[in-house]
Amino acid sequence: MELFVLWDIDHTLIENAGVSKEIYAAAFRGLSGREPTEPARTEGRTDRLIMRDMFVREGLPVPDWHFVETALAQAGEAHLEELRRRGTALPGVHDALKATSAQTGWVSSVLTGNISANARVKLAAFGLDSLLDLPVGAYGADAELRPHLVAVARERAQRRHGASAGISTVLVGDTPRDVEAALTTGSRILAVASGIHTQEELTAAGAVEVLPDLSDTKRVLGILESFAGH
């Protein structure tokens, strides 16, 4: 195993068209019995933090995580068809994932703030799930802070593929939090300005390699190859 590629999902691989915030609102409603007064604040954070923040802002006690995760999974499944109808895979994503998965010695998975059930829903909605090694990914239930997810994914890659502890790892994401997670864990970062953050903002956050999106498969592969073995 020469390279471990971990992709963010929302606004990196897919555009959820607001369905994500509807999932959080539905989970909150199911747990509290009322509508939230304002939308969830996401911005690259994990589901643990997003949902806790919603309850704190509403002045309500935070439920045990088990109940929160169950509510999120139920809401995610219920919104699958709406996501498929309104959302889309972003330009070049299918080709980039297919090409990455075909590379000998590379393992391609996800590092996402979504719980695993909803990550699978979002990927399956656009036929991307089969192009990723999802069991070695890291998800929003695994840790509160995004940088801590990197160690989770590496440990899973070691168990499943015998990867070394120092395997070259690259994160692909669209927010400064993705950049931070890479820089603080000794990983590389390929940032994409396909979300709300500009190329300039991502560069200012510390990303050296920044693309407007993933539409240029050859360039994406070239950048990833330059990270292999480093």
Side-chain angles (χ1 to χ4, degrees), residues 166-178:
I167 180 69
S168 296
T169 304
V170 53
L171 275 56
V172 185
D174 67 291
T175 73
R177 281 194 170 88
D178 295 300

Side-chain angles (χ1 to χ4, degrees), residues 145-164:
L145 300 178
R146 200 174 192 94
H148 297 168
L149 296 178
V150 177
V152 173
R154 283 174 172 156
E155 182 180 344
R156 288 173 176 163
Q158 288 171 33
R159 291 201 307 263
R160 185 173 171 89
H161 297 291
S164 66

Side-chain angles (χ1 to χ4, degrees), residues 29-127:
R29 184 170 60 249
L31 292 162
S32 69
R34 65 176 176 84
E35 296 287 342
T37 58
E38 57 182 290
R41 297 172 184 169
T42 53
E43 300 168 349
R45 296 188 300 166
T46 65
D47 279 358
R48 282 183 178 271
L49 289 181
I50 292 167
M51 291 300 293
R52 186 172 73 193
D53 179 59
M54 288 185 77
F55 279 88
V56 170
R57 284 189 288 116
E58 299 289 338
L60 297 174
V62 181
D64 289 343
W65 171 248
H66 166 75
F67 298 111
V68 176
E69 185 173 14
T70 298
L72 279 171
Q74 291 172 344
E77 185 64 30
H79 282 77
L80 170 60
E81 291 306 320
E82 188 68 9
L83 177 64
R84 189 173 281 146
R85 185 178 70 83
R86 286 162 46 192
T88 186
L90 286 169
V93 162
H94 188 276
D95 288 342
L97 292 182
K98 187 175 181 179
T100 303
S101 68
Q103 298 297 308
T104 302
W106 292 16
V107 172
S108 179
S109 190
V110 296
L111 189 142
T112 174
N114 291 282
I115 61 170
S116 60
N118 288 354
R120 289 177 182 274
V121 164
K122 290 179 176 183
L123 295 167
F126 309 108

Side-chain angles (χ1 to χ4, degrees), residues 199-210:
Q199 291 181 258
E200 292 74 19
E201 288 174 318
L202 295 167
T203 299
V208 175
E209 297 288 355
V210 184

